[in-house]
Amino acid sequence: MPLASGAPSPPSEMPARPYRMIHFFPPQIEKVRAKIPELIPKVDILLGNLEDAIPASDKEAARKGLIEVALNNDFGDTSLWTRINSLDSPWVLDDLLTIIPQAGDKLDVVMVPKVEGPWDIHYIDRLLAQLEAKYGIKKSLQVHAILETALGVSNVEEICAASPRMQGISLGPADLAASRRMKTTRVGGGHPSYQVIADPDAENPEAPRVSAQQDPWHYTLARMVDACNSAGILPFYGPFGAIDDPVAGEYQFRAAFLMGCVGTWTLHPSQIDIAKRAFSPTAEEVKTAKRIIEAMGDGTGTVMLDGRMQDDATFKQAQVMVQTAKVIAQRDSEYAELYGF
Amino acid sequence: MPLASGAPSPPSEMPARPYRMIHFFPPQIEKVRAKIPELIPKVDILLGNLEDAIPASDKEAARKGLIEVALNNDFGDTSLWTRINSLDSPWVLDDLLTIIPQAGDKLDVVMVPKVEGPWDIHYIDRLLAQLEAKYGIKKSLQVHAILETALGVSNVEEICAASPRMQGISLGPADLAASRRMKTTRVGGGHPSYQVIADPDAENPEAPRVSAQQDPWHYTLARMVDACNSAGILPFYGPFGAIDDPVAGEYQFRAAFLMGCVGTWTLHPSQIDIAKRAFSPTAEEVKTAKRIIEAMGDGTGTVMLDGRMQDDATFKQAQVMVQTAKVIAQRDSEYAELYGF
Amino acid sequence: MPLASGAPSPPSEMPARPYRMIHFFPPQIEKVRAKIPELIPKVDILLGNLEDAIPASDKEAARKGLIEVALNNDFGDTSLWTRINSLDSPWVLDDLLTIIPQAGDKLDVVMVPKVEGPWDIHYIDRLLAQLEAKYGIKKSLQVHAILETALGVSNVEEICAASPRMQGISLGPADLAASRRMKTTRVGGGHPSYQVIADPDAENPEAPRVSAQQDPWHYTLARMVDACNSAGILPFYGPFGAIDDPVAGEYQFRAAFLMGCVGTWTLHPSQIDIAKRAFSPTAEEVKTAKRIIEAMGDGTGTVMLDGRMQDDATFKQAQVMVQTAKVIAQRDSEYAELYGF
Amino acid sequence: MPLASGAPSPPSEMPARPYRMIHFFPPQIEKVRAKIPELIPKVDILLGNLEDAIPASDKEAARKGLIEVALNNDFGDTSLWTRINSLDSPWVLDDLLTIIPQAGDKLDVVMVPKVEGPWDIHYIDRLLAQLEAKYGIKKSLQVHAILETALGVSNVEEICAASPRMQGISLGPADLAASRRMKTTRVGGGHPSYQVIADPDAENPEAPRVSAQQDPWHYTLARMVDACNSAGILPFYGPFGAIDDPVAGEYQFRAAFLMGCVGTWTLHPSQIDIAKRAFSPTAEEVKTAKRIIEAMGDGTGTVMLDGRMQDDATFKQAQVMVQTAKVIAQRDSEYAELYGF
Amino acid sequence: MPLASGAPSPPSEMPARPYRMIHFFPPQIEKVRAKIPELIPKVDILLGNLEDAIPASDKEAARKGLIEVALNNDFGDTSLWTRINSLDSPWVLDDLLTIIPQAGDKLDVVMVPKVEGPWDIHYIDRLLAQLEAKYGIKKSLQVHAILETALGVSNVEEICAASPRMQGISLGPADLAASRRMKTTRVGGGHPSYQVIADPDAENPEAPRVSAQQDPWHYTLARMVDACNSAGILPFYGPFGAIDDPVAGEYQFRAAFLMGCVGTWTLHPSQIDIAKRAFSPTAEEVKTAKRIIEAMGDGTGTVMLDGRMQDDATFKQAQVMVQTAKVIAQRDSEYAELYGF
Amino acid sequence: MPLASGAPSPPSEMPARPYRMIHFFPPQIEKVRAKIPELIPKVDILLGNLEDAIPASDKEAARKGLIEVALNNDFGDTSLWTRINSLDSPWVLDDLLTIIPQAGDKLDVVMVPKVEGPWDIHYIDRLLAQLEAKYGIKKSLQVHAILETALGVSNVEEICAASPRMQGISLGPADLAASRRMKTTRVGGGHPSYQVIADPDAENPEAPRVSAQQDPWHYTLARMVDACNSAGILPFYGPFGAIDDPVAGEYQFRAAFLMGCVGTWTLHPSQIDIAKRAFSPTAEEVKTAKRIIEAMGDGTGTVMLDGRMQDDATFKQAQVMVQTAKVIAQRDSEYAELYGF
């Protein structure tokens, strides 16, 4: 305990398992359901989607499919989540009144879209409490919110702190763009319209000028990460829509990992391995972090390593890196080998 | 209504007319007043400026000139706004006590500079109410605030929600820079001092290193856009001072459009067409958006288009694009033709 | 006074002396203490460090060393600060109960690490009041907070306004990174994982694509600067850990200066001159600013200068630049000459 | 409109119909249901109780009975309300999922017990919205909260303003007493333990001393009335348990009427007439109020009446009295005659 | 200073002059104006009323009359206040634009009726600032609010703290009663409908029962007093309408004095002496307080006096009493003699 | 658990032991210390006073005396508390730095006077944490605040919720009276100046009129009780200064018990038995409560008892009464016998 020893320790809420990707599937499609058993060991989280991308005419089938998936599979260490329809939709009450009684014991987290303020969490919190009590659900279901309206961003700190059920938040860049009237039809990532151009060359004002593309999501993601950590919950990137551009996807995911996210959504099986790479530290990073920890002894004071000063604070940064690697290694033998744990 | 049908709809506050540029003019100058009739059809908003850039000795002439402009012109679909002096100046009370009684019925919006908190809006709100009642102004005047102090940014959500009169907010980068003690004399845009430099090449540490220029206004603009949309009002970029650098101006405006702004200020006639281009979607963007809407049918479910997945959320993004184009086309025949509406 | 004359004036809280660098020293090391007399004239602020980087076993020696430094030196115009251990450590109470009684009259500012909310400032505020009263300290000690947890960032406006003792805030990027679980072991500056990549060339999709590195600290620094200015206190950048990369350090410092910071930390003597350069306007910038001020007369109205319009707002920006230069020139003859004051 | 004419007008939210009593009935009892038709014309509001006083074993029968009552009766101008079980009970979800679909169109108000903060209203608000949409309820159901916990009193202003559905609040003195650990088993009214005793007679210190009994509910009721009026909703007294003491009941009800309540609960038929008397102005009061209104003409200025000065403010008080009488007279011929309307 | 010596001192904001009565006069009546010179020495505050009780047709004459009174009299130590019309009336802007320019230098306090929240104070605060600057008023006018709506009571703490101009608050029981729909046409004081009745005598249940009348204003006044003292401003009782019942008036005033008010309104000359008596401590009270102070020496520890224990806290209470008497004695020779100062 | 069974249960925070009186003693007086052993079994809480009533010259002796008392006595089930000097006094830091290291393990609660807001609790909370850690105090010390300033009352809800250390709050009527400038030198209880007088008899207007004395502390105590219960902490009455008037003391204490307080202060041994009587239910009350509980079976539904209706809510009230009696009986054999437990 800090008060007793003074030794620096990593943030207490370091997650105990990896959350690198939330893999979405449409549960109304039989072919998809058939492949669930082989997907389970490949992903950290499996999410049965009931909301956007599920046609209005398939909402009922999706609920049924999800219950079938939940009851007929053993998920082992993999989490099963669901995304319900938005709280102002005509479907959400049936989503909950159908899914929780029949499959509540197999679910870990309910993802709630278009959350705008703590009131939305209060609603879902109490409804889950009543359903858990009525149907004897043995675990307390957690809640994950998607940040996809301007008002949600303005209220993100209050949303994160609205209930002890809160597990985390994902960025929802497509709905958020529409809510802000951003002029884009892309889902996440950069946009060529957002650039900063260099000054003209005074000597040669007509010469072509360099411009640097900017990250349109920086403010949103950075504030979301702080809001989550302030409340002790986990921040996730969301969807990256350009499935045909895995390079840009990996850039985006890696940036989110650097900024503090623990994972992302994967909308297509091809994104699973990209997410795995992007949300796991490199072997190099883990090695450096281990060296810092070893060199720092009790974690106080300073040492020089490769010409850079390490102290109590970098010791903590190194612990974040190593601990992240450790929980990945426990779940994923490939990474265990890579890190040498 | 979402609760009835579940079909995704664009943000309810999509503006009913274009706001691409607020064109500033100094009303004390006769030559300028003479050209107003030909400016009216070229701009979306015309603003008679009483504040910064109007010399102290011309404040009275500016008020008079504005009243003359207001009374002697027919503005059609073009809005007439005024920017009053700041609430701690010796001029603002006379601005309002002169302009509202004589020209209140012709004005749409009062722009208030250097707003620092909701209290400033409360003041102007009540004073307008009293003047409207006393002088029988038939419309309820709207209020537009400029965000140009650090305290204003810290309070931007409360400012936006301070009154039903609030119409929108503009970024005021010059005053804001001074208030923050930013070390620049530029008005908006990037600055060569704000760069991130790449790591040295480990093989060749002395080699020149790439650096990327950064947007110093990202946080401010992004938070302002969310605050506006949370309160159902409109965000605008503000002045771009380098009239001699139209290229940089267009980059800046286009970035603001992408980020969610509906328009900008134009300080010089040469900026009008730049603003028009930057704050109107391209024909290509509109075409893509239309194809998404058509392909998505009732707006739920998914379709693949050019290798990218579209769903309820991108359907909404496409609606934002198309609806923006539509209101522009209704006002501007050149763009109507471009978009094919 | 604005209400009387209407003439624009710079922000009232323009600092009366330069704060370009807070130079850290470990007071337990005799060799370091011996060099203090020659350091004093070279730096704006000298800080005796008791916290991170001081080994647990040296905490007592560090307190003693600091008291020795404080009592045996004449600091002239240079400020003496100390950084105490964090409020949840086993050392902070002894830090204060030892240092304030013995050296309180020589200290200007107490830097408090890991501040999370106004409650931390309330604690230190009252404890200082009680110690000042008890030991007859003649000056009221000021407080400087370090922003190094996610919760601290979420509460930064309240922290800045928590007490009239608040003097300023520094960014603490290493602890903050750990608190956010950012995956980095760097201390400040950019990171190669945070990039935005350009779209592929449609003609040649396999061609290498440009990417632009992004500033991971933009949101944090920009919000911190606004919070400080809203409360009338001073924002500082913090440590830049890569002592072996002075080029990147200067980029980082210069960016912070542009964004509104008044100074930075220097962890190594080699960083002192870099900080001096980065946190002083260039001669060119000062010259331009002086020209604007001269051309603008009473500060209202407009003039054209080198093809750019100047008005009341740019007049204020120019005043910020010139006034910053003036206080530097008063302290630093080298810069006085450079600026021609 | 005040801004136009300056004439004082009564509070805009003067109710359009009388709310003198909410008469509770236990809907599971057949004999009770049989008497509903004759009760309807005698009471302003009829409430089918599902919560406290309904045995656990009768909860289902009570729901059924309420639906039967709702469907088989014509309520005319009399309102039909229900009190559901508390939000942390095992019954409330079934209460709502049973009652709203089957009898939602006949219900006016849902009374929610043990409300502790706005979150409770947010929950019920959204659940009602979803059920109304799903079952095509044509009216928007209103919500009435009972103030019966210490936390509820601390949050009463936020509760009142939590939703546009809020119709009013009742005091719940029995639960509130338990929540506060007040040492009483009475339901409402005074208590002999709460007295203030006069000073002893200095001449004769042993003489018996007068003591005055105090109102233990003054703070709660007064704050509740202000909270309701601040939000434009209606305050009600609640149950008076001593059915065998009609004199004390009438004192209590009359005090609540004076303090601003519009009505009370009646738990027994014998309380209906007491409530009617207590929550209707006397003929004398109405007569005086009419005289003030007549004497004051346009409502501004002053007149002397029976040695007391009347002005714009007493004119408003008189309007409250007369308007209250008018809506009672419209519903109740006995009172119409009494008042001479 | 407490921190230095530990000796208890009275609340720092003890007023430096008496405020026992605010005497209202209708300035449009010539006969009234003629008597002002003889009223000045008899009252602590003289208030020219422009609002309620001034007929709509006399508003202009009232302004004129007030200016005449202000300019033609020397007020000595007596304060001159005015009550303006309410902020939603058609008269208030003319009130201020007429009175401040012409008589601002003679006025001390502007009383604002029907204040509902801090926004009302923000409005008046800024408008006064602009008028003071424009017309060169040398003193900063203070603001006194009347608490006469339910919403105002709910916001009273924020109203008190809304501006450094805030001088105090008065209770406005007539408008407040109307706003709360209290069923009374009285202005202040008790009401026979608000009584608590004793339990029946078990032996003789039909025997007449004692009842005790209650104070309907207790909550409002007590909360108002705390809100004022929290913000360092002064609480006043307001009007007592029953001019023909001086006995009840004196009871009411005396109760307000006990509860912490510094003064009251007087609507009729006959109330001036009642207010003087009620808001001055009795000679007996002052004598007791002096004895406590003398006995307590440095103010710490305990002494027994007449069988009651005095300590640091009662020492402070005694100081409040004596200091109140002292400022009265300085102004009022009759009381100086009574107290023996 | 309510969600499982629906049976009503008393407030979860029913105290597990009696707190009927906090008996104050001046620890600097040897004679007093000598009697502590015989006082311990007679009181529920023993408080060593360091603040008001301890002369400035005895502060050090009082600390020493308290440590002696703490170390030399076995307190059994009796709590040992201390009241430290106020946070703005020159003594409080020494109080804590002396008492906690030497006697922290024997203390249960630190009473903090003149608390004005949550910041005061934050201060004491953190200082206690640091001292407990440093001196290895095995229990976490609790904090009890005294409500004795107007600002404290305005902030009472925030004070109660400021820390998990909060144990309770006492009313401090003497300091509070001074802070509010109430014109009284009494400590608690009623005051003859606070009366409401009946209307004159219309037939005989000169006849003497009844007046009823009012409780000046009603608002303060009622709001304090709610604030405590909202935060799950305990409300106490405070000092009753008129030791020579035990009759009035018992009235005051009994009223506080009825209103929800768990105990009071006793300043003199003669008040101990009065407090015991006043803060214990009567045998009659306990008997009635037991009968209600028995009659109500599972606690739901209704029964008639002596002509009054009992239901789930009165069942809870009865539980409060019986549970209060039980914890008293466990500690106090005299009461055990009285209640028949």
Side-chain angles (χ1 to χ4, degrees), chain A residues 291-337:
Chain A
R291 285 182 58 221
I292 294 172
I293 292 172
E294 277 153 29
M296 280 294 295
D298 79 348
T300 66
T302 56
V303 296
M304 289 304 289
L305 215 66
D306 311 332
R308 300 202 169 181
M309 201 184 77
Q310 309 298 335
D311 73 355
D312 315 49
T314 55
F315 177 78
K316 278 189 224 168
Q317 292 178 290
Q319 283 179 301
V320 168
M321 196 72 88
V322 171
Q323 209 151 316
T324 301
K326 264 189 195 155
V327 298
I328 291 170
Q330 276 162 13
R331 172 158 175 87
D332 199 328
S333 58
E334 184 191 347
Y335 277 86
E337 198 173 331

Side-chain angles (χ1 to χ4, degrees), chain F residues 303-322:
Chain F
V303 294
M304 289 303 289
L305 216 64
D306 309 331
R308 299 202 170 182
M309 199 183 80
Q310 310 298 335
D311 73 354
D312 315 49
T314 56
F315 177 78
K316 278 189 222 166
Q317 292 178 290
Q319 282 179 303
V320 167
M321 197 73 87
V322 171

Side-chain angles (χ1 to χ4, degrees), chain A residues 86-90 92-94 97 118-120 122-124 126-127 130-131 133-135, chain D residues 86-90 92-94 97 118-120 122-124 126-127 130-131 133-135:
Chain A
S86 82
L87 300 185
D88 61 358
S89 77
V92 62
L93 197 57
D94 284 333
L97 294 181
W119 49 87
D120 288 333
H122 298 157
Y123 173 74
I124 209 75
R126 196 175 271 284
L127 192 53
Q130 292 177 343
L131 291 170
K134 186 162 175 191
Y135 294 99
Chain D
S86 84
L87 301 185
D88 62 358
S89 76
V92 63
L93 198 56
D94 283 334
L97 295 180
W119 50 88
D120 289 333
H122 298 156
Y123 173 72
I124 209 77
R126 197 176 270 286
L127 192 53
Q130 292 176 345
L131 290 170
K134 188 163 175 190
Y135 295 100

